Amino acid sequence: MSKYTEDDLKIELETKEYEYGFYTELESETFPIGLNEDIVRAISHKKGEPQWMTDWRLEAFRAWEQMTEPEWANVHYTKPDFQAISYYSAPKAVDPNKTLDDVDPELLEMYKKLGISVDEQKMMNNVAMDIVVDSVSVATTFKKTLGEKGIIFMSISEAIKEHPELVRKYLGTVVPQKDNFYAALNSAVFSDGSFCYIPKGVRCPMELSTYFRINQAGTGQFERTLLVADEGSYVSYLEGCTAPSRDENQLHAAVVELIALDDAEIKYSTVQNWYPGNKEGKGGVYNFVTKRGICEKNAKISWTQVETGSAITWKYPSVILKGDNSTGEFYSIAVTNNFQQADTGTKMIHLGKNTKSTIISKGISAGKSQNSYRGLVRISPNADNARNFSQCDSLLMGNNCGAHTFPYIESKNPSAKIEHEATTSKIGEDQVFYCNQRGIPTEKAIALIVNGFSKDVLNKLPMEFAVEAQKLLEISLEGSVG
Amino acid sequence: MLSIKNLHASIGDKEILKGINLEVKAGEIHAIMGPNGAGKSTLASIIAGNENYEVTEGEISLDGEDLSELAPEERAHKGVFLSFQYPVEIPGVSVTNFMRTAINETRKANGQEEMPANEMLKVIREKSELLEIDRKFLSRSLNEGFSGGEKKRNEIFQMAMLEPKLAILDETDSGLDIDALRIVANGVNKLKSDKNAIVVITHYQRLLDYIVPDFVHVLYNGKIVKSGGKELAHELEEKGYDWIKQEQEA
C-alpha cells in the first residue's frame, strides 16, 4: 500500500462535497427580483403587518438608498447586485394552523438530513426549536412550556402581530435602521426571524434554538432577531446555520439585537456553517451580519461563535456596556479554508462604571484563505474602573493563507485597565508526526490540534453545541495541512 | 521481530545511515550506543516512518512484513512505538484525551471496537500507578510546561498504555534525575515480556544499569561498528568513544 500523503489528503478535501449541499424541492412563492418601495410595501403587506411597521421599513429603505456599501473590511469580492435578488420567498406548504404532522414531508426529510428532526428534538433535547426555512417559520415547539413561564418565543412576524407593543418598543434600539448599509437593507426587507422575551426574574428553563437555512436559489435571506431579557432574567440562545450549496453567491444580511435589562443575563451562541464556496472560490454565502447587544445595570451578555462557513464573513457581535457593573464577553472561533475570507471580531463599548469585558478570539486559517480579527475596545470618559482582557490567537496551516489582527483600543478614562495578548502559531510537522507515531492519522491529528487550540472557546458552548462545533471544525479543515 | 538489512538513508544530500544491519527478536533488549551525530536518532525516526528522511537502500521489516511503504500511523498500528527524545507540546489537548484518541485510532485500524470509557479509566489508573504519575498530571495539556523528566515519564506512560510490540526508547534517560530514572526503568522492565522487544538508544551507560540489555551495538558514522553483550557498554563507559573512533580511523 502506498503512503497516504498530504497530497492525497488535499485531493480528498478538494473532491469532498459540502456535507449539507443538498437542495430540497419546495413549492415556493417568490417575488420578482429587484428592490424598490413597492417591493418593501409588498413584503410588509404579504406579512400582514401594521402600518407603523411598513413605515419603519420604508424609512430604512430610503436611508439605505443613500448609503454605500462599506469597503474598509479586509475582504475582496464582487459586490452583489441588489437589484438582481428576490426579496421574498416563502415555502407554500405553510399554514399557521397546521401542526408538525401536517408539514411538507420534504421539509421534514430535510431536517432529518440535517440531523435536526423536530420529533427527535422534542423527545431528546430540552431544546425548543423555532425552525426557519427560507423566510417563514414553519414549526414552533415547546411553546406551551415556555408560555407557562410567560416567555415569548416566536417568529418575529408573529410577534409584530401578537406583541406589537414589545416589538415597537425595542426594535431598532440597539441596531438602528441607519446603523450601516446592511443593517439598513435588513430593516427594509427582513423576511422573518425570531423574537424572544423573558419576563422579569424568569430563568428560561431550556436552551432556545433556531436553525436558519437558506434554501431557495437566488433568494437573499434577511433574518431579524430581537431578544429581550427583562430585569433579573436569564436566557441561553443557540443559533445554528447550514445552507445547501449553490453556485451563485447568496447574500445573507442578518440583524440580531439583544437587550439585557438590569441584572439580566443573555448567552448567545452561534454555529455558522453556510456553504463556503468550492475549492476555486466559486459560490458560497456572503454573510454580512450586524449583531449587537446592550447591557443595563449589572447585566451580562456573552457572544460565543464558531464560524466555519460562508465565502465572505463580515461580522462583529458587540456589546454596549451602558449600565454600571455590566459585563460583555466575546468568544470566537473563526475557521477559513480554500478561498474563504473572514473579517470578524467584536466591539466592547464601555459606558458605565466598573464595566468588564473579555474577548477571546481564535482564528484558524488554511488553504488560500484570509482570516482577520477586527476589534474595538472603547472606554468612555465616564466608565471609571473599566476593565478589558483580550486574547487573539491565530493558527496557520500551510504557507498560502493569512492571519491578520486589527485591534483598536480607545481609552478616555485613566482608571481603565486594558490587557491585550496575541499569538500566532503554525501546526508543525513535528506535532503531526508525533501524533502519527501514536497511531493517529494526519486528519485526526489536525482535528485534535485544532480542537486543543480552540478549547477555551469550545468550553463556552452549551454541551450539545460543543459536539457539533467540534465536528464542524474537523469537516472544515480536513486535509488542509501543508 | 525487527529486521534491518543494509539500510542507507539520507536527509537532503547528506547520507546519514550507511548500511545498517540489525536483528531484534521477541523478548530481547538491544542497546544502541554511540557518539553524538552517529545517526542513532535518525535510525529511530526512520523505523518509525519519519518522512523527512529518505531511505535510499536496504529494508526494514517487522515480523517479516516490509515497513518501508507504510505511513507512520500504520507502523504504529502494527506495534511500533517511539519514545521521543524531544516530545512535542500540543496545547489544549490533555494527556488523557490524547491517549484515548491514540488507543481508539489504533483499535479502529485493527478492526476492534473503541475501548469502553470505564475500561479506559481502569487502564489509565493502572499504568499511571506503574509510573508513579499523579493523576492531575493527566489532565494537563500534552507536554506543555512539562519538565524534562515529566516529558520522559509521560512517554513511557504512553508506551505502557499502547503496549507496543517494538518499543524504541530514544535518549529516554536524558533529562531524568536518578529517582525518575529508576521509576522509568522500573516501568520499562515491568512492561517487558517474551512477546515484545525494546531498543534502547543512549549516549551513556547509566540507563543500562537499570534496563539491562541482551545486546549492545555501537553506532558510529552511520554504521554499526561493534556488537556485543552488556559488558560492551561498560567497556565504552571506561574507554570512551574515542576508542571506537581510533579503531575506525586506524
Side-chain angles (χ1 to χ4, degrees), chain B residues 76-113:
Chain B
H77 299 153
K78 298 203 179 293
V80 176
F81 178 89
L82 172 61
S83 167
F84 284 77
Q85 185 177 1
Y86 303 108
V88 300
E89 296 179 3
I90 305 186
V93 177
S94 70
V95 177
T96 306
N97 186 18
F98 183 72
M99 266 348 287
R100 195 189 59 199
T101 310
I103 286 176
N104 284 334
E105 286 298 323
T106 301
R107 291 173 72 115
K108 197 164 89 186
N110 292 323
Q112 292 167 286
E113 296 276 302

Side-chain angles (χ1 to χ4, degrees), chain A residues 1-5 429-442 444 448-449 451-453 455, chain B residues 50-52 69 72-74 76-77 80-82 84 88-93 98 101-102 105 143 155 158:
Chain A
M1 200 207 120
S2 70
K3 269 176 258 178
Y4 190 66
T5 63
E429 273 176 38
D430 53 343
Q431 281 175 316
V432 174
F433 179 64
Y434 188 89
C435 294
N436 288 161
Q437 208 300 305
R438 297 301 186 251
I440 304 169
T442 301
K444 190 81 191 173
L448 196 69
I449 294 165
N451 276 325
F453 172 78
K455 201 180 73 176
Chain B
N50 191 326
E51 284 154 12
N52 287 336
E69 290 299 310
E73 64 271 22
E74 292 171 312
H77 299 153
V80 176
F81 178 89
L82 172 61
F84 284 77
V88 300
E89 296 179 3
I90 305 186
V93 177
F98 183 72
T101 310
E105 286 298 323
N143 292 319
E155 291 292 291
Q158 294 184 40

Side-chain angles (χ1 to χ4, degrees), chain A residues 81-323:
Chain A
D81 178 356
F82 293 97
Q83 296 303 337
I85 296 170
S86 164
Y87 287 84
Y88 185 82
S89 163
K92 262 189 178 163
V94 174
D95 177 334
N97 300 320
K98 274 183 186 166
T99 67
L100 255 188
D101 302 336
D102 304 320
V103 170
D104 188 336
E106 273 198 53
L107 258 182
L108 295 176
E109 188 56 34
M110 183 167 81
Y111 298 152
K112 251 183 228 152
K113 282 188 202 167
L114 281 168
I116 54 157
S117 134
V118 177
D119 289 327
E120 242 177 54
Q121 293 288 349
K122 268 184 180 171
M123 289 186 295
M124 282 166 36
N125 299 317
N126 201 23
V127 178
M129 309 283 295
D130 180 54
I131 299 169
V132 179
V133 170
D134 280 32
S135 313
V136 172
S137 161
V138 294
T140 305
T141 55
F142 279 94
K143 223 169 178 173
K144 199 163 158 259
T145 323
L146 296 174
E148 281 160 9
K149 296 233 170 209
I151 295 168
I152 303 165
F153 181 42
M154 55 176 56
S155 73
I156 197 147
S157 315
E158 285 177 277
I160 289 166
K161 285 176 230 167
E162 292 180 29
H163 302 280
E165 71 299 339
L166 280 173
V167 176
R168 211 172 170 177
K169 183 171 174 189
Y170 293 109
L171 188 71
T173 57
V174 192
V175 180
Q177 288 138 295
K178 297 166 199 169
D179 188 81
N180 65 69
F181 183 82
Y182 305 113
L185 178 65
N186 174 287
S187 300
V189 301
F190 71 86
S191 36
D192 213 333
S194 296
F195 174 78
C196 180
Y197 172 80
I198 316 290
K200 266 183 203 172
V202 170
R203 211 182 148 79
C204 183
M206 59 188 75
E207 311 270 0
L208 296 183
S209 170
T210 306
Y211 275 79
F212 295 97
R213 279 185 64 87
I214 302 173
N215 189 47
Q216 210 65 25
T219 310
Q221 191 167 16
F222 304 92
E223 296 292 339
R224 187 90 196 185
T225 301
L226 177 60
L227 206 161
V228 182
D230 211 330
E231 291 172 18
S233 68
Y234 166 85
V235 63
S236 171
Y237 189 95
L238 315 185
E239 173 196 48
C241 310
T242 56
S245 63
R246 284 280 150 221
D247 273 342
E248 318 91 274
N249 289 302
Q250 289 180 304
L251 176 66
H252 184 89
V255 172
V256 176
E257 294 180 279
L258 308 184
I259 292 136
L261 298 180
D262 292 358
D263 304 299
E265 181 178 348
I266 301 174
K267 273 186 77 154
Y268 195 102
S269 313
T270 305
V271 170
Q272 187 263 115
N273 181 31
W274 280 328
Y275 184 52
N278 69 8
K279 59 163 178 139
E280 278 98 28
K282 192 168 185 292
V285 170
Y286 286 3
N287 192 19
F288 303 126
V289 184
T290 307
K291 289 185 164 178
R292 196 176 300 150
I294 189 163
C295 282
E296 298 289 345
K297 267 182 216 151
N298 306 315
K300 179 175 172 183
I301 289 177
S302 272
W303 295 103
T304 306
Q305 62 173 21
V306 177
E307 301 280 322
T308 63
S310 296
I312 312 277
T313 300
W314 181 97
K315 180 179 173 185
Y316 316 91
S318 303
V319 184
I320 300 167
L321 297 158
K322 181 180 165 218

